[in-house]
Amino acid sequence: MPELPEVETTRRGLAPVMIGRSVRRVVIRNHALRRPVPRELPRLITGATIRAVTRRAKYLLVDCGSGTLILHLGMSGRLWVVTDGAPATRHDHFDLELDSGAIVRLRDPRRFGLVLWRKGDVAGHPLLREIGPEPFSAEFDGAYLHRATRNRSAAIKLVLMDSHVVAGVGNIYANEALFRAGIAPRTAARRLTRSRCDALVRTVRATLELAIGAGGSTLRDYVASDGRAGYFQNQFLVYDRAGEPCSQCGASIRGIRQGQRSTYYCPTCQKA
Ligand SMILES: [Zn+2]
């Protein structure tokens, strides 16, 4: 499933191709994504000039002047740039053809992705307005996390994955950030001290930065490819490593379930 680093990597690949270009053609092959792709979209954005390509949580926002195209990769979506006129295949549901001839194409076999339109202020869209601060924003700091967790008795891992608290920290990165901060995933969020909140904010950022950096190294492939390349190979410290030795202490990494998701942690390095 594409998480924040993949979405940011995608954004960095698309921005230079899209910004300043105008939309020559919109092709919707399948309207039935998680929500219907608006039928009026071709009329709304054909001829529009793209002003910016930004990201909010895992949403990509394409500023078209009069409004914003909101894109989400869902469970299995990929966006990439077709420069050789390659024909669309079965799961290629949406094309945005630019005046340069490049085509930004969405492939999404499971169709949980989104292609939506928001006229005017995009931050006020119902899908976006409740989302907490971005992990790299100044607002997301130790003081904020400490404040936000004072009345939360739920496990810190679940709170970290709550998009109202912080945007876009998915399962993999919550596991990795907690390991780096030495915090046991089942610790009640409200028990974290201010200094542990400071540490956790640092490790959330470091973990995401590392993944974005790794994604960046395959960016060129991503943009030029058939959509297969570009998902970085991560070197996880705990994620998906149950039974393997901890890189810090050698203890066996444990795997448990929390809120229907897999949690991995080191029973020695991570303390409640
Ligand atoms: Zn350990």
Side-chain angles (χ1 to χ4, degrees):
M1 181 160 76
E3 298 223 31
L4 189 148
E6 289 89 341
V7 178
E8 177 60 21
T9 299
T10 301
R11 188 196 70 76
R12 292 180 186 186
L14 294 180
V17 176
M18 298 179 79
I19 294 170
R21 291 294 175 183
S22 67
V23 177
R24 183 191 284 168
R25 202 158 70 103
V26 178
V27 180
I28 305 167
R29 295 186 193 84
N30 188 343
H31 287 264
L33 298 185
R34 178 149 60 96
R35 295 185 185 189
V37 180
R39 296 202 175 265
E40 66 275 23
L41 200 58
R43 181 175 59 75
L44 289 168
I45 62 173
T46 302
T49 299
I50 296 167
R51 297 181 178 184
V53 181
T54 58
R55 180 187 56 72
R56 179 77 174 105
K58 297 203 292 183
Y59 296 92
L60 284 168
L61 309 176
V62 180
D63 181 351
C64 297
S66 64
T68 304
L69 189 62
I70 302 174
L71 303 170
H72 193 279
L73 299 176
M75 307 284 285
S76 60
R78 284 167 192 202
L79 272 166
W80 80 105
V81 180
V82 178
T83 51
D84 59 359
T89 58
R90 187 171 156 224
H91 299 294
D92 295 343
H93 307 309
F94 176 77
D95 278 2
L96 200 66
E97 190 181 319
L98 307 174
D99 61 349
S100 61
I103 296 170
V104 177
R105 180 166 285 169
L106 173 70
R107 174 175 298 172
D108 186 2
R110 295 183 64 185
R111 293 192 280 118
F112 280 100
L114 290 171
V115 177
L116 298 171
W117 176 252
R118 171 74 171 184
K119 199 181 166 198
D121 169 39
V122 72
H125 192 282
L127 287 170
L128 303 180
R129 67 182 173 218
E130 306 277 311
I131 298 175
E134 286 292 318
F136 296 112
S137 70
E139 191 188 345
F140 181 65
D141 62 8
Y144 165 83
L145 186 60
H146 193 248
R147 220 168 39 241
T149 50
R150 285 316 81 191
N151 57 0
R152 301 289 296 262
S153 55
I156 182 58
K157 180 175 174 240
L158 301 180
V159 172
L160 206 52
M161 290 176 65
D162 177 350
S163 66
H164 298 93
V165 175
V166 56
V169 180
N171 191 40
I172 291 173
Y173 301 101
N175 277 296
E176 295 290 302
L178 285 166
F179 173 76
R180 287 169 187 269
I183 297 169
R186 286 180 286 197
T187 307
R190 67 178 177 205
R191 290 193 53 215
L192 289 183
T193 60
R194 170 62 200 275
S195 68
R196 297 187 96 194
C197 289
D198 289 342
L200 188 51
V201 165
R202 280 196 301 272
T203 63
V204 164
R205 288 187 179 144
T207 304
L208 291 171
E209 262 164 20
L210 215 64
I212 293 168
S217 66
T218 58
L219 204 55
R220 205 173 348 171
D221 290 341
Y222 191 93
V223 170
S225 81
D226 66 353
R228 286 171 196 278
Y231 278 68
F232 58 87
Q233 295 299 307
N234 222 315
Q235 293 299 313
F236 301 126
L237 297 176
V238 287
Y239 184 78
D240 204 22
R241 292 195 52 204
E244 293 178 34
C246 170
S247 57
Q248 302 294 307
C249 74
S252 192
I253 301 292
R254 286 196 189 152
I256 58 169
R257 299 290 285 177
Q258 273 184 300
Q260 282 88 51
R261 304 299 299 273
S262 300
T263 293
Y264 302 92
Y265 68 101
C266 172
T268 310
C269 294
Q270 293 174 254
K271 307 216 181 325

